[in-house]
Amino acid sequence: MTGIITKLALAGALAFSPAALAQDYDIVLNNGRVIDPETGLDAIRHVGIRGDEIATISETPLEGARTIDATGRIVAPGFIDLHGHGQNTPSGRMQALDGVTTTLELESGVLPVAEFYESAAEEGRPINYGAAASWAHARIAAVMDVEPDADTYWFFRYIGDPRWQTELADNERLSTILRHINTGLEEGGLGIGILLGYAPGVSRSEYHAVNALAAARDVPTFTHARFLSAIEPQSSYEGFQEMVAVAASTGAHMHISHLNSISLSDIDRIAEMIEGAQANGVNITVEAYPYGAGATGIGAAMFRGENWRERMGGIEYSDFTVQGVPLDEERFNELQENAPGTGIVVHFLNPDERPEHQAYLDRSILFPGGAIASDGGPWAVGSDRLTGDIWPIPEDAHSHPRSAGTYGRFLRIYARERGVIDWPEAVAKASFYPARILSDAVPQMRRKGRLQAGMDADIVVFDPETVADRATFERPAQASVGFEYVIVNGTVLVDGGELDTSVLPGRPVRGTVASGAE
């Protein structure tokens, strides 16, 4: 009997021994500089991961089934991109190498939302994904009498058609638009994406009604401002005034997409207006990306109409490029007439050569509480978009370099080289601030953007001395460097700087309306 008792006691001791407890963690990150923006933690700590969750943040080293030494590295919450149009596997893989663990299609959105989630789940995704319900898709469907397609870029088929961009909606048509959007929210949409700048002729009352719907359903709207112009009337400033007024009158959470590219040279006055509205209780949030060039379709309404080049600050045709090749007036007009969906990159600021342009960009990037968001898109070779299980992305593939290097560029320029922002604030802008922007409407986001016990194990480990973008406008298909480990839902996706193509750990992120959670 004594022998049995002794054996049981020994077994119990072993069960609670350090060697046994070591296996309680699937992954351990030891000795890293752990930054949690929500609590203000910035210290050498040791992170234990169990399953898909952060199990502990320890002041003493841990042991686990796999142990990673993060000495000299920053261990941070995975980056959250609120503005990712590249909703497919190759785009997600490239973003993972830029530190991104969640990418969301919010500014444009999609319809049908259920189809978007079903297709992504069937194919699998390397990083977490989600989408808003699309006002543009709903409007095109109502005006053009067509069924929307869940492809993010479906609206490009109609980008040069003025009917959906200008025809006013009577009560019946407005009801149809709102019904489409509401269905998208019921199916999991994270809010309402409003591409107002692509249909600037629609009524103010329709925009107000869409935001009123958002307020009634307790979801945000994500707006591309109505105007892109430095000249009154119908200026960018006027477009931002409209957003402030609608947010104040409806009570909707108004998220402003790409503050940098819509404000042009008027960013100081626009930023002051937004800060004033926030100080008076208006629920407005913003995002920006660290480039002086945008990308869209050449047939967009903002590139048409009287004096449009002067309204954009005297932009030249050569400031537009297609697959890296500058355009002239003849080629520009030809594409706009015959191929309005052609993707272009438009250089509206030149921060590398003009200090005042860098100051404009800084005002957007450093906006207090503002998120960094890529506005990145899919990759293509020629006219063929890359989809499916593709890796590596071919060297001759084209996209805006922000599709590969947004976060590496932001960290390199703003935190390391110029030192205008410290590492904790830089991490917050890439992770916690975007999570916080969505937390009221999207319960899942309350577990992301934070490095604490009980949070989702979406984590990035990067070297602050080497983290950098490599993507250029001439050669955009170059992954960032310095992101050594990227963990998505407890699965190592980037391992020692190399992408693991055998795993697809991304999961859907859905809104409150569909989940029923609060």
Side-chain angles (χ1 to χ4, degrees), residues 135 174 177-179 181-182 185 191-192 194 203-223 242-243 245-254 513:
W135 165 80
L174 179 58
I177 292 170
L178 296 178
R179 185 172 64 253
I181 294 170
N182 194 58
L185 296 176
I192 305 173
I194 309 178
S203 71
R204 271 67 172 171
S205 61
E206 179 177 334
Y207 181 56
H208 188 279
V210 173
N211 279 273
L213 171 62
R217 302 313 302 264
D218 291 322
V219 299
T221 58
F222 310 93
T223 297
E242 177 182 27
M243 291 188 286
V246 168
S249 64
T250 64
H253 172 184
M254 175 73 64
V513 175

Side-chain angles (χ1 to χ4, degrees), residues 102-127:
T102 300
T103 185
L104 306 172
E105 168 53 275
L106 300 181
E107 178 223 29
S108 173
V110 298
L111 283 181
V113 170
E115 185 178 316
F116 165 83
Y117 281 110
E118 289 165 6
S119 176
E122 182 178 353
E123 183 178 318
R125 289 288 183 266
I127 58 180

Side-chain angles (χ1 to χ4, degrees), residues 476-492:
Q478 299 185 86
S480 294
V481 295
F483 294 100
E484 298 181 358
Y485 297 93
V486 176
I487 299 170
V488 180
N489 296 308
T491 296
V492 179

Side-chain angles (χ1 to χ4, degrees), residues 6 83 278 303 409 414 427 440 493 505:
T6 303
H83 197 148
Q278 290 175 328
F303 307 136
R409 181 179 182 85
Y414 285 87
V427 166
D440 286 346
L493 178 61

